[in-house]
Amino acid sequence: MSHQKYSYFISDAHLGVPSREASLEREKKLVKWLNQVAPQAQAIYLLGDIFDFWFEYRHVVPKGFVRLFGAIASITDQGTPVHFFTGNHDLWIKDYFQKELGMIVHHKGVSTQINGRKFFIHHGDGLGKGDYGYKFLKKVFCCKPCQWLFARLHPNFAIDLARLSSRRSRMAHAEDDEKFLGEDKEFLAQWAKQKLEETHYDFFVFGHRHLPLEIKIGENSTYYNLGEWFKRFTYGVYDGDTFKLQYFEKEGNPAVNKI
């Protein structure tokens, strides 16, 4: 019997939209995936925007997602680490995930070694040139006084307002998200190339882009984007030697842009 352990990576499920029914269907599929990979996982990495909106009040969290939370708690209770990287849609995570679910929460990108190979892992938002409007908004969203002021709003009003804004933003940009722009215009790949000038990484793993990508950016370095979990249902798996992008419940390898 093989005792080989794998590291699994997933991002951008955007649970909560566009409707309760559609979100619940994706949540059940995500739970099924977690239950399938957990027995052979040495670690699971959730790279942000798992929720289309998340905000923690001191005593209140958004309603729903109990199936996902139960599955994650079961995995961490058995000793398998689950890492959560905040994305631009779920920035406002405090300590609920750590205390209740046992997850390891990262608010920034992480440089780490897995089985002797060097990884840089990040949701992908706010990196590279351009997108100055979002970068300004992120500073506002991460500002403690601004978070305190938002928390003064009643949850019914605040969460409805935030979800309305989130939906409009995603709908406005969804079409562009699904098109390969060419390697020179893939800003995360270009950012990774610049990062290589500072230090070597074998693998850069990001979400945010909503398009599964594999781009060779150096002699021994590759940039991967995990795609998303609302249309293609792609994920990454690292076996200790190679990193692959795969579909869930679909035969063959995903139709990734491989450069």
Side-chain angles (χ1 to χ4, degrees):
M1 181 177 180
S2 173
H3 295 284
Q4 184 177 8
K5 290 289 186 177
Y6 300 84
S7 298
Y8 293 94
F9 302 77
I10 195 170
S11 73
D12 293 273
H14 289 274
L15 297 178
V17 294
S19 66
R20 181 186 181 279
E21 293 75 18
S23 175
L24 181 58
E25 183 179 353
R26 298 202 311 279
E27 181 184 355
K28 289 180 178 179
K29 192 166 187 174
L30 180 52
V31 168
K32 185 176 181 181
W33 176 79
L34 285 169
N35 289 335
Q36 286 190 14
V37 304
Q40 62 267 17
Q42 69 175 7
I44 297 172
Y45 296 83
L46 309 178
L47 266 62
D49 284 4
I50 302 302
F51 308 96
D52 200 68
F53 168 75
W54 184 270
F55 184 83
E56 290 179 30
Y57 288 80
R58 183 178 299 178
H59 302 294
V60 177
V61 296
K63 185 178 180 180
F65 318 119
V66 293
R67 293 167 181 82
L68 175 62
F69 291 158
I72 291 172
S74 177
I75 291 169
T76 60
D77 284 349
Q78 294 175 39
T80 301
V82 177
H83 297 260
F84 191 102
F85 290 73
T86 57
N88 49 302
H89 281 255
D90 39 30
L91 277 172
W92 286 336
I93 288 172
K94 296 181 181 177
D95 61 2
Y96 181 76
F97 287 0
Q98 297 99 314
K99 291 181 177 179
E100 293 296 324
L101 307 179
M103 287 200 286
I104 304 164
V105 175
H106 305 278
H107 294 276
K108 296 180 179 180
V110 168
S111 172
T112 187
Q113 288 208 11
I114 306 175
N115 296 94
R117 308 293 290 279
K118 195 170 182 181
F119 280 72
F120 188 87
I121 306 170
H122 193 288
H123 175 64
D125 61 311
L127 300 180
K129 297 180 180 179
D131 205 7
Y132 298 112
Y134 167 70
K135 290 177 181 178
F136 172 77
L137 285 176
K138 185 174 182 179
K139 289 182 179 179
V140 173
F141 293 154
C142 293
C143 173
K144 295 294 183 182
C146 292
Q147 292 181 23
W148 184 89
L149 287 171
F150 189 85
R152 306 282 71 79
L153 300 175
H154 191 282
N156 287 348
F157 173 75
I159 291 175
D160 282 347
L161 177 65
R163 283 179 173 164
L164 177 61
S165 175
S166 174
R167 289 169 185 167
R168 286 181 173 176
S169 175
R170 283 194 44 70
M171 288 172 64
H173 298 288
E175 187 173 323
D176 288 339
D177 282 345
E178 297 177 358
K179 296 179 180 178
F180 179 58
L181 303 176
E183 183 180 355
D184 60 327
K185 294 183 180 179
E186 289 294 334
F187 66 96
L188 289 176
Q190 295 302 314
W191 183 91
K193 285 184 178 180
Q194 294 178 359
K195 190 74 172 176
L196 276 179
E197 297 176 3
E198 303 172 7
T199 184
H200 172 74
Y201 292 94
D202 297 288
F203 305 107
F204 290 85
V205 185
F206 295 93
H208 189 55
R209 181 65 179 86
H210 296 181
L211 189 68
L213 295 169
E214 178 183 343
I215 299 176
K216 194 79 170 175
I217 58 172
E219 185 176 350
N220 297 301
S221 185
T222 308
Y223 155 79
Y224 291 93
N225 198 282
L226 299 173
E228 37 74 13
W229 200 262
F230 50 85
K231 184 178 179 180
R232 297 180 179 86
F233 303 99
T234 49
Y235 65 96
V237 56
Y238 175 62
D239 64 6
D241 182 36
T242 60
F243 191 103
K244 293 181 180 179
L245 293 171
Q246 297 184 346
Y247 278 126
F248 180 57
E249 294 188 330
K250 188 172 183 179
E251 292 183 1
N253 294 322
V256 301
N257 288 281
K258 189 172 182 180
I259 308 299

